[in-house]
Amino acid sequence: MLGKFAATAFVAITGVSILATATTALAEAKSREEWKKEYIRPTAIPFPEENPYSAEKAELGRKLFFDHRLSGANYISCATCHNPSFSWGDGLPK
């Protein structure tokens, strides 16, 4: 009988502890505005110094992204799934 009581008491104490932790976490959670201030979009894309941006690299990337010859079957490109018309997604619901 004592074993069952001890197990029930343990479950109850654990539940209260989890609830108290969750309540504290919610109280300390940042608001949406606080997150927006912390994670603002950079004003410029940070390119590595050893590999700076160039128009030629951007054009090469565009060509490779739309080139179907890179697939094993020679008919699928990255843009097949990552469609620019669907904000670079696949258009499927999340």
Side-chain angles (χ1 to χ4, degrees):
M1 183 75 164
L2 183 59
K4 190 174 184 181
F5 175 76
T8 304
F10 175 75
V11 170
I13 291 170
T14 303
V16 169
S17 175
I18 291 171
L19 182 60
T21 303
T23 303
T24 303
L26 286 175
E28 294 174 359
K30 294 180 183 178
S31 71
R32 184 177 183 155
E33 293 305 316
E34 290 172 320
W35 282 111
K36 283 183 176 182
K37 288 178 187 175
E38 188 171 337
Y39 292 98
I40 58 173
R41 184 176 295 209
T43 56
I45 299 172
F47 292 100
E49 289 181 23
E50 65 275 1
N51 189 14
Y53 173 83
S54 72
E56 293 82 13
K57 289 179 192 176
E59 181 60 21
L60 174 61
R62 188 192 66 74
K63 285 181 180 179
L64 293 174
F65 189 80
F66 290 98
D67 192 347
H68 58 83
R69 295 175 295 173
L70 297 175
S71 71
N74 284 329
Y75 71 92
I76 296 173
S77 73
C78 296
T80 303
C81 297
H82 304 282
N83 191 327
S85 300
F86 298 131
S87 299
W88 305 100
D90 56 14
L92 299 174
K94 302 261 181 229

